[in-house]
Amino acid sequence: MFATIDLPNYQLWDFAGVDGLQFAKILVGDAAGKLAPFQSLEATVADYPCSLLWLCENNFRLGIQGNFAIQAPAKMRVWVKRCETIKAIALPHSFKLKLRQIATTKPPHRLQGLTLNCAVPARINSISVLIWHHSPLGKAILELHTAARDAPVIRAKLVNSEKG
């Protein structure tokens, strides 16, 4: 049976700009500077558990547990925005094989061998998704990010893949 994982009070935030990397270091420390695109780390921000994903260049996504507002210092050239139009669907790690059957990627990205703390852009039913393998709250999950309007279609495809 298809079951998602509940991530209570989970928020997604994006930030980008010339000072994106410096802002990431302020939030989670110097380890942010050791990431490569589509790599992530687990950390805490103001005692809230979070996961930081480097999307590209100076663009980052932060998944954070808790009612927390992120704001960049005024002197920094970075914009920060809560991802209200993106829906996160958390799946158990055991769903990895099913995802490889329904999601497609373009080289150099691949789902096969997707390691912990890495993400890959993909498509499910021609809908863009980001598949992020990480461990918020200490448990490995697969987190799918897609446009909120497309989430019901993605959920239906996930349910159908479990039936077949």
Side-chain angles (χ1 to χ4, degrees):
M1 176 168 171
F2 176 75
T4 59
I5 296 171
D6 186 33
L7 297 173
N9 301 318
Y10 190 67
Q11 300 177 33
L12 293 174
W13 291 79
D14 280 348
F15 58 93
V18 173
D19 294 327
L21 178 58
Q22 288 73 22
F23 185 57
K25 288 179 179 179
I26 288 171
L27 284 175
V28 301
D30 288 338
K34 295 181 174 141
L35 295 174
F38 295 107
Q39 288 184 342
S40 66
L41 59 80
E42 306 301 322
T44 58
V45 173
D47 294 328
Y48 290 100
C50 69
S51 302
L52 178 72
L53 174 64
W54 189 341
L55 295 170
C56 63
E57 196 77 23
N58 289 313
N59 300 339
F60 293 83
R61 179 159 297 155
L62 186 78
I64 190 160
Q65 300 280 343
N67 190 12
F68 186 74
I70 299 169
Q71 190 171 6
K75 66 180 190 262
M76 296 191 93
R77 294 173 295 168
V78 62
W79 62 262
V80 179
K81 185 174 190 235
R82 184 168 176 192
C83 301
E84 295 177 358
T85 59
I86 295 174
K87 179 74 176 162
I89 302 169
L91 303 169
H93 182 264
S94 61
F95 210 84
K96 197 172 185 180
L97 184 59
K98 287 284 185 190
L99 274 179
R100 286 183 25 209
Q101 295 170 356
I102 64 171
T104 58
T105 59
K106 288 185 179 178
H109 305 288
R110 3 180 252 143
L111 276 168
Q112 187 173 0
L114 182 63
T115 59
L116 193 60
N117 292 320
C118 288
V120 63
R123 297 184 82 67
I124 297 175
N125 276 16
S126 301
I127 297 171
S128 294
V129 296
L130 177 76
I131 301 171
W132 186 6
H133 185 203
H134 67 123
S135 57
L137 302 178
K139 182 172 181 156
I141 64 167
L142 296 163
E143 186 175 316
L144 278 63
H145 296 181
T146 192
R149 71 179 179 280
D150 294 329
V153 175
I154 298 298
R155 281 186 181 278
K157 182 66 175 180
L158 294 168
V159 168
N160 289 335
S161 73
E162 275 290 282
K163 291 177 183 173

